[in-house]
């Protein structure tokens, strides 16, 4: 059974976390470390994946002055997908996995990440589901299906980077300043919004770790966090 290092960073700067991902990727490539799962929250940040760079002018609805006023950073990154938001109250996960130890199938990997989130939200009484050709996890609401978790990954030489962003008690107004994931006809929601009550982040984080181990068939270990953050 593969071992998975769990790195719980709390609130961590996006650029430093991205550096940590790249460092773990390089070490995983040379088999110097086990698979890892980074879990954290970020300060207010918009990230733009490869599919969103050409649409940035239409999908980011704030100018540089407004971004600075709200203290929001913007990063163009090398994952798949379009633009999304990261911020406090959102559980972000970055799995650094060598898929040679699981399966060489990116489509299956994405479906397994969705399954982790579906099982996690199910523990809190929510029914998450998939939508064909729209990677992520959705929940039906009176307004129609709304996204509760965005997913965007990069796989190089079968080692993964980037990952998922689950809205726990996220301030959803920050999604109003973008076209989330380039999808304009569906909304965004959170666990707290759907339940109408607070859910502690540590409870969600521990449940997600358990479900990740279940879906991917790994044994989790918890070393000290990498000493480079926040």
């Amino acid at each position: 059974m593969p071992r998975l290092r769990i790195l719980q960073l709390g609130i961590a700067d996006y650029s430093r976390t991205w550096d940590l991902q790249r460092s773990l990727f390089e070490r995983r490539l040379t088999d110097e470390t086990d698979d890892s799962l980074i879990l954290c929250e970020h300060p207010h940040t918009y990230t733009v994946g490869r599919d969103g760079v050409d649409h940035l002018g239409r999908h980011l609805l704030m100018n540089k002055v407004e971004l600075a006023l709200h203290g929001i950073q913007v990063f163009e990154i090398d994952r798949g997908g379009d633009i999304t938001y990261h911020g406090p109250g959102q559980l972000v996960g970055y799995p650094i996995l060598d898929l040679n130890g699981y399966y060489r199938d990116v489509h299956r990997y994405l479906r397994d990440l969705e399954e982790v989130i579906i099982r996690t939200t199910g523990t809190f009484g929510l029914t998450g589901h998939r939508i064909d050709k729209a990677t992520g996890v959705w929940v039906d609401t009176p307004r129609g299906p709304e996204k509760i978790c965005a997913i965007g990954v990069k796989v190089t030489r079968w080692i993964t980077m980037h990952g998922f962003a689950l809205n726990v008690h996220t301030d959803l107004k920050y999604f109003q300043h973008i076209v989330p994931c380039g999808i304009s006809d569906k909304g965004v929601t959170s666990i707290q919004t759907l339940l109408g009550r607070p859910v502690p982040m540590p409870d969600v984080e521990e449940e997600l770790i358990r479900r990740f181990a279940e879906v991917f068939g790994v044994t989790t270990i918890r070393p000290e966090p990498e000493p480079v953050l926040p």
Side-chain angles (χ1 to χ4, degrees):
M1 186 176 285
R3 300 198 318 167
L4 180 71
R5 301 168 71 237
I6 306 296
L7 303 178
Q8 295 168 280
L9 305 180
I11 296 180
D13 177 79
Y14 185 85
S15 62
R16 292 187 180 181
T17 310
W18 193 7
D19 288 343
L20 175 58
Q21 284 193 73
R22 287 185 286 226
S23 171
L24 291 172
F25 171 87
E26 293 297 333
R27 289 162 60 191
R28 192 69 191 98
L29 199 60
T30 55
D31 212 25
E32 294 175 43
T33 188
D34 295 305
D35 291 340
S36 300
L37 173 60
I38 303 168
L39 294 172
C40 64
E41 300 172 61
H42 290 305
H44 301 303
T45 305
Y46 292 131
T47 65
V48 186
R50 293 187 304 269
D51 300 335
V53 174
D54 291 341
H55 309 293
L56 187 55
R58 298 195 305 276
H59 293 175
L60 175 58
L61 310 178
M62 301 178 84
N63 59 38
K64 289 182 179 179
V65 173
E66 292 169 321
L67 289 166
L69 240 121
H70 287 82
I72 305 173
Q73 291 187 293
V74 180
F75 294 90
E76 294 182 18
I77 59 174
D78 54 354
R79 62 162 169 79
D82 207 302
I83 189 169
T84 196
Y85 165 73
H86 298 309
Q90 183 188 73
L91 180 56
V92 182
Y94 301 117
I96 313 297
L97 308 183
D98 183 352
L99 292 183
N100 289 293
Y102 303 86
Y103 42 72
R104 291 188 174 190
D105 187 333
V106 177
H107 177 82
R108 180 178 169 185
Y109 174 61
L110 290 169
R111 303 294 78 80
D112 277 352
L113 290 181
E114 290 168 344
E115 185 63 24
V116 170
I117 301 302
I118 289 169
R119 294 187 191 187
T120 299
T121 54
T123 302
F124 297 94
L126 302 175
T127 304
H129 62 85
R130 301 172 178 86
I131 291 180
D132 190 37
K133 297 181 181 178
T135 296
V137 176
W138 306 77
V139 179
D140 289 330
T141 76
R143 299 167 298 280
E146 295 186 333
K147 183 175 277 191
I148 196 167
C149 182
I151 295 175
V153 304
K154 175 186 178 184
V155 180
T156 305
R157 295 171 65 180
W158 297 108
I159 297 177
T160 68
M161 286 182 62
H162 303 293
F164 56 84
L166 173 61
N167 296 323
V168 179
H169 51 83
T170 318
D171 187 344
L172 299 177
K173 75 169 182 274
Y174 285 90
F175 286 98
Q176 297 172 8
H177 305 299
I178 60 173
V179 180
C181 303
I183 300 172
S184 59
D185 61 343
K186 293 180 177 64
V188 177
T189 191
S190 70
I191 293 176
Q192 179 171 294
T193 298
L194 292 166
L195 295 181
R197 59 177 173 82
V199 177
M201 180 67 78
D203 292 358
V204 179
E205 193 163 334
E206 289 306 312
E207 182 61 22
L208 187 138
I209 292 168
R210 186 170 77 85
R211 296 301 189 171
F212 198 99
E214 185 178 272
V215 170
F216 283 90
V218 297
T219 298
T220 58
I221 55 175
R222 304 200 191 199
E224 289 299 310
E226 303 288 326
V228 295
L229 298 170

